[in-house]
PDB file of all heavy atoms in Angstrom:
ATOM      1  N   ALA A  27      98.270  86.954 110.178  1.00  0.00           N
ATOM      2  CA  ALA A  27      97.661  88.231 109.807  1.00  0.00           C
ATOM      3  C   ALA A  27      97.712  88.440 108.304  1.00  0.00           C
ATOM      4  O   ALA A  27      96.749  88.931 107.695  1.00  0.00           O
ATOM      5  CB  ALA A  27      98.367  89.371 110.526  1.00  0.00           C
ATOM      6  N   ALA A  28      98.816  88.072 107.674  1.00  0.00           N
ATOM      7  CA  ALA A  28      98.940  88.229 106.218  1.00  0.00           C
ATOM      8  C   ALA A  28      97.933  87.361 105.484  1.00  0.00           C
ATOM      9  O   ALA A  28      97.306  87.796 104.513  1.00  0.00           O
ATOM     10  CB  ALA A  28     100.362  87.898 105.784  1.00  0.00           C
ATOM     11  N   ASN A  29      97.761  86.131 105.958  1.00  0.00           N
ATOM     12  CA  ASN A  29      96.790  85.233 105.315  1.00  0.00           C
ATOM     13  C   ASN A  29      95.352  85.672 105.557  1.00  0.00           C
ATOM     14  O   ASN A  29      94.463  85.400 104.745  1.00  0.00           O
ATOM     15  CB  ASN A  29      96.978  83.806 105.834  1.00  0.00           C
ATOM     16  CG  ASN A  29      98.275  83.182 105.360  1.00  0.00           C
ATOM     17  OD1 ASN A  29      98.807  83.560 104.322  1.00  0.00           O
ATOM     18  ND2 ASN A  29      98.802  82.233 106.120  1.00  0.00           N
ATOM     19  N   THR A  30      95.121  86.362 106.684  1.00  0.00           N
ATOM     20  CA  THR A  30      93.763  86.774 107.041  1.00  0.00           C
ATOM     21  C   THR A  30      93.359  88.088 106.390  1.00  0.00           C
ATOM     22  O   THR A  30      92.240  88.228 105.870  1.00  0.00           O
ATOM     23  CB  THR A  30      93.637  86.907 108.567  1.00  0.00           C
ATOM     24  OG1 THR A  30      93.994  85.662 109.184  1.00  0.00           O
ATOM     25  CG2 THR A  30      92.206  87.269 108.973  1.00  0.00           C
ATOM     26  N   PHE A  31      94.273  89.063 106.388  1.00  0.00           N
ATOM     27  CA  PHE A  31      93.910  90.422 105.967  1.00  0.00           C
ATOM     28  C   PHE A  31      94.546  90.872 104.657  1.00  0.00           C
ATOM     29  O   PHE A  31      94.120  91.881 104.086  1.00  0.00           O
ATOM     30  CB  PHE A  31      94.295  91.421 107.059  1.00  0.00           C
ATOM     31  CG  PHE A  31      93.719  91.109 108.408  1.00  0.00           C
ATOM     32  CD1 PHE A  31      94.524  90.657 109.438  1.00  0.00           C
ATOM     33  CD2 PHE A  31      92.364  91.260 108.649  1.00  0.00           C
ATOM     34  CE1 PHE A  31      93.997  90.366 110.681  1.00  0.00           C
ATOM     35  CE2 PHE A  31      91.825  90.977 109.891  1.00  0.00           C
ATOM     36  CZ  PHE A  31      92.635  90.511 110.916  1.00  0.00           C
ATOM     37  N   CYS A  32      95.559  90.192 104.173  1.00  0.00           N
ATOM     38  CA  CYS A  32      96.342  90.735 103.066  1.00  0.00           C
ATOM     39  C   CYS A  32      96.299  89.890 101.799  1.00  0.00           C
ATOM     40  O   CYS A  32      97.084  90.119 100.877  1.00  0.00           O
ATOM     41  CB  CYS A  32      97.802  90.916 103.493  1.00  0.00           C
ATOM     42  SG  CYS A  32      98.007  91.875 105.005  1.00  0.00           S
ATOM     43  N   LYS A  33      95.432  88.913 101.730  1.00  0.00           N
ATOM     44  CA  LYS A  33      95.360  88.100 100.518  1.00  0.00           C
ATOM     45  C   LYS A  33      94.908  88.950  99.337  1.00  0.00           C
ATOM     46  O   LYS A  33      93.982  89.750  99.461  1.00  0.00           O
ATOM     47  CB  LYS A  33      94.391  86.940 100.722  1.00  0.00           C
ATOM     48  CG  LYS A  33      94.983  85.803 101.552  1.00  0.00           C
ATOM     49  CD  LYS A  33      94.064  84.604 101.575  1.00  0.00           C
ATOM     50  CE  LYS A  33      94.725  83.436 102.298  1.00  0.00           C
ATOM     51  NZ  LYS A  33      93.852  82.248 102.312  1.00  0.00           N
ATOM     52  N   GLY A  34      95.555  88.780  98.226  1.00  0.00           N
ATOM     53  CA  GLY A  34      95.199  89.542  97.029  1.00  0.00           C
ATOM     54  C   GLY A  34      95.927  90.850  96.917  1.00  0.00           C
ATOM     55  O   GLY A  34      95.888  91.499  95.879  1.00  0.00           O
ATOM     56  N   GLN A  35      96.610  91.267  97.993  1.00  0.00           N
ATOM     57  CA  GLN A  35      97.370  92.520  97.927  1.00  0.00           C
ATOM     58  C   GLN A  35      98.799  92.218  97.502  1.00  0.00           C
ATOM     59  O   GLN A  35      99.353  91.162  97.790  1.00  0.00           O
ATOM     60  CB  GLN A  35      97.371  93.213  99.290  1.00  0.00           C
ATOM     61  CG  GLN A  35      95.991  93.615  99.779  1.00  0.00           C
ATOM     62  CD  GLN A  35      96.061  94.494 101.012  1.00  0.00           C
ATOM     63  OE1 GLN A  35      97.037  95.198 101.209  1.00  0.00           O
ATOM     64  NE2 GLN A  35      95.024  94.463 101.816  1.00  0.00           N
ATOM     65  N   SER A  36      99.391  93.158  96.822  1.00  0.00           N
ATOM     66  CA  SER A  36     100.771  92.989  96.374  1.00  0.00           C
ATOM     67  C   SER A  36     101.509  94.312  96.531  1.00  0.00           C
ATOM     68  O   SER A  36     100.917  95.329  96.832  1.00  0.00           O
ATOM     69  CB  SER A  36     100.810  92.550  94.895  1.00  0.00           C
ATOM     70  OG  SER A  36     100.180  93.516  94.076  1.00  0.00           O
ATOM     71  N   GLY A  37     102.788  94.273  96.325  1.00  0.00           N
ATOM     72  CA  GLY A  37     103.584  95.498  96.401  1.00  0.00           C
ATOM     73  C   GLY A  37     104.726  95.406  97.394  1.00  0.00           C
ATOM     74  O   GLY A  37     105.707  96.120  97.279  1.00  0.00           O
ATOM     75  N   ASN A  38     104.619  94.546  98.409  1.00  0.00           N
ATOM     76  CA  ASN A  38     105.696  94.401  99.369  1.00  0.00           C
ATOM     77  C   ASN A  38     106.103  92.933  99.448  1.00  0.00           C
ATOM     78  O   ASN A  38     105.394  92.121 100.042  1.00  0.00           O
ATOM     79  CB  ASN A  38     105.257  94.901 100.751  1.00  0.00           C
ATOM     80  CG  ASN A  38     106.387  94.817 101.761  1.00  0.00           C
ATOM     81  OD1 ASN A  38     107.519  94.490 101.416  1.00  0.00           O
ATOM     82  ND2 ASN A  38     106.082  95.114 103.011  1.00  0.00           N
ATOM     83  N   PRO A  39     107.226  92.565  98.872  1.00  0.00           N
ATOM     84  CA  PRO A  39     107.631  91.156  98.878  1.00  0.00           C
ATOM     85  C   PRO A  39     107.951  90.638 100.276  1.00  0.00           C
ATOM     86  O   PRO A  39     108.032  89.428 100.481  1.00  0.00           O
ATOM     87  CB  PRO A  39     108.881  91.150  97.985  1.00  0.00           C
ATOM     88  CG  PRO A  39     109.414  92.540  98.085  1.00  0.00           C
ATOM     89  CD  PRO A  39     108.203  93.433  98.195  1.00  0.00           C
ATOM     90  N   LYS A  40     108.142  91.553 101.254  1.00  0.00           N
ATOM     91  CA  LYS A  40     108.527  91.131 102.596  1.00  0.00           C
ATOM     92  C   LYS A  40     107.334  90.920 103.516  1.00  0.00           C
ATOM     93  O   LYS A  40     107.502  90.441 104.637  1.00  0.00           O
ATOM     94  CB  LYS A  40     109.476  92.172 103.210  1.00  0.00           C
ATOM     95  CG  LYS A  40     110.773  92.325 102.442  1.00  0.00           C
ATOM     96  CD  LYS A  40     111.732  93.276 103.115  1.00  0.00           C
ATOM     97  CE  LYS A  40     111.325  94.714 102.958  1.00  0.00           C
ATOM     98  NZ  LYS A  40     112.315  95.648 103.521  1.00  0.00           N
ATOM     99  N   ALA A  41     106.141  91.281 103.076  1.00  0.00           N
ATOM    100  CA  ALA A  41     104.957  91.144 103.926  1.00  0.00           C
ATOM    101  C   ALA A  41     104.714  89.687 104.287  1.00  0.00           C
ATOM    102  O   ALA A  41     104.672  88.818 103.427  1.00  0.00           O
ATOM    103  CB  ALA A  41     103.736  91.723 103.221  1.00  0.00           C
ATOM    104  N   GLY A  42     104.566  89.423 105.578  1.00  0.00           N
ATOM    105  CA  GLY A  42     104.288  88.074 106.044  1.00  0.00           C
ATOM    106  C   GLY A  42     105.477  87.135 106.062  1.00  0.00           C
ATOM    107  O   GLY A  42     105.322  85.974 106.426  1.00  0.00           O
ATOM    108  N   LYS A  43     106.660  87.613 105.694  1.00  0.00           N
ATOM    109  CA  LYS A  43     107.844  86.756 105.684  1.00  0.00           C
ATOM    110  C   LYS A  43     108.481  86.730 107.070  1.00  0.00           C
ATOM    111  O   LYS A  43     108.279  87.620 107.893  1.00  0.00           O
ATOM    112  CB  LYS A  43     108.859  87.265 104.658  1.00  0.00           C
ATOM    113  CG  LYS A  43     108.357  87.242 103.221  1.00  0.00           C
ATOM    114  CD  LYS A  43     108.128  85.822 102.731  1.00  0.00           C
ATOM    115  CE  LYS A  43     107.776  85.796 101.259  1.00  0.00           C
ATOM    116  NZ  LYS A  43     107.562  84.419 100.757  1.00  0.00           N
ATOM    117  N   SER A  44     109.282  85.706 107.313  1.00  0.00           N
ATOM    118  CA  SER A  44     109.969  85.585 108.596  1.00  0.00           C
ATOM    119  C   SER A  44     111.080  86.630 108.696  1.00  0.00           C
ATOM    120  O   SER A  44     111.537  87.182 107.682  1.00  0.00           O
ATOM    121  CB  SER A  44     110.574  84.186 108.742  1.00  0.00           C
ATOM    122  OG  SER A  44     111.665  84.016 107.841  1.00  0.00           O
ATOM    123  N   ALA A  45     111.505  86.871 109.927  1.00  0.00           N
ATOM    124  CA  ALA A  45     112.568  87.864 110.146  1.00  0.00           C
ATOM    125  C   ALA A  45     113.865  87.451 109.460  1.00  0.00           C
ATOM    126  O   ALA A  45     114.588  88.294 108.926  1.00  0.00           O
ATOM    127  CB  ALA A  45     112.809  88.050 111.642  1.00  0.00           C
ATOM    128  N   GLU A  46     114.189  86.155 109.453  1.00  0.00           N
ATOM    129  CA  GLU A  46     115.406  85.688 108.794  1.00  0.00           C
ATOM    130  C   GLU A  46     115.340  85.951 107.293  1.00  0.00           C
ATOM    131  O   GLU A  46     116.310  86.379 106.681  1.00  0.00           O
ATOM    132  CB  GLU A  46     115.603  84.188 109.052  1.00  0.00           C
ATOM    133  CG  GLU A  46     115.956  83.857 110.479  1.00  0.00           C
ATOM    134  CD  GLU A  46     117.234  84.506 110.920  1.00  0.00           C
ATOM    135  OE1 GLU A  46     118.238  84.388 110.202  1.00  0.00           O
ATOM    136  OE2 GLU A  46     117.241  85.145 111.983  1.00  0.00           O
ATOM    137  N   TRP A  47     114.185  85.716 106.695  1.00  0.00           N
ATOM    138  CA  TRP A  47     113.993  85.962 105.267  1.00  0.00           C
ATOM    139  C   TRP A  47     114.185  87.435 104.966  1.00  0.00           C
ATOM    140  O   TRP A  47     114.861  87.807 103.995  1.00  0.00           O
ATOM    141  CB  TRP A  47     112.590  85.509 104.873  1.00  0.00           C
ATOM    142  CG  TRP A  47     112.341  85.395 103.396  1.00  0.00           C
ATOM    143  CD1 TRP A  47     112.385  84.273 102.641  1.00  0.00           C
ATOM    144  CD2 TRP A  47     111.983  86.463 102.491  1.00  0.00           C
ATOM    145  NE1 TRP A  47     112.093  84.549 101.322  1.00  0.00           N
ATOM    146  CE2 TRP A  47     111.840  85.890 101.196  1.00  0.00           C
ATOM    147  CE3 TRP A  47     111.776  87.825 102.642  1.00  0.00           C
ATOM    148  CZ2 TRP A  47     111.507  86.644 100.077  1.00  0.00           C
ATOM    149  CZ3 TRP A  47     111.450  88.587 101.526  1.00  0.00           C
ATOM    150  CH2 TRP A  47     111.306  87.999 100.255  1.00  0.00           C
ATOM    151  N   VAL A  48     113.585  88.299 105.783  1.00  0.00           N
ATOM    152  CA  VAL A  48     113.676  89.749 105.566  1.00  0.00           C
ATOM    153  C   VAL A  48     115.113  90.234 105.710  1.00  0.00           C
ATOM    154  O   VAL A  48     115.566  91.097 104.949  1.00  0.00           O
ATOM    155  CB  VAL A  48     112.740  90.494 106.545  1.00  0.00           C
ATOM    156  CG1 VAL A  48     112.976  92.001 106.468  1.00  0.00           C
ATOM    157  CG2 VAL A  48     111.284  90.174 106.228  1.00  0.00           C
ATOM    158  N   LYS A  49     115.854  89.689 106.668  1.00  0.00           N
ATOM    159  CA  LYS A  49     117.249  90.105 106.863  1.00  0.00           C
ATOM    160  C   LYS A  49     118.082  89.774 105.622  1.00  0.00           C
ATOM    161  O   LYS A  49     118.896  90.582 105.171  1.00  0.00           O
ATOM    162  CB  LYS A  49     117.827  89.420 108.091  1.00  0.00           C
ATOM    163  CG  LYS A  49     117.263  89.931 109.402  1.00  0.00           C
ATOM    164  CD  LYS A  49     117.675  89.046 110.557  1.00  0.00           C
ATOM    165  CE  LYS A  49     116.996  89.460 111.852  1.00  0.00           C
ATOM    166  NZ  LYS A  49     117.283  88.522 112.959  1.00  0.00           N
ATOM    167  N   GLY A  50     117.876  88.583 105.073  1.00  0.00           N
ATOM    168  CA  GLY A  50     118.604  88.215 103.858  1.00  0.00           C
ATOM    169  C   GLY A  50     118.206  89.082 102.682  1.00  0.00           C
ATOM    170  O   GLY A  50     119.059  89.519 101.893  1.00  0.00           O
TER     171      GLY A  50
END
């Protein structure tokens, strides 16, 4: 979904990241 709808958008470093990445 991030690659399809959110390319070029910025502001949330956690968008499209895995749950493990977000937890860290």
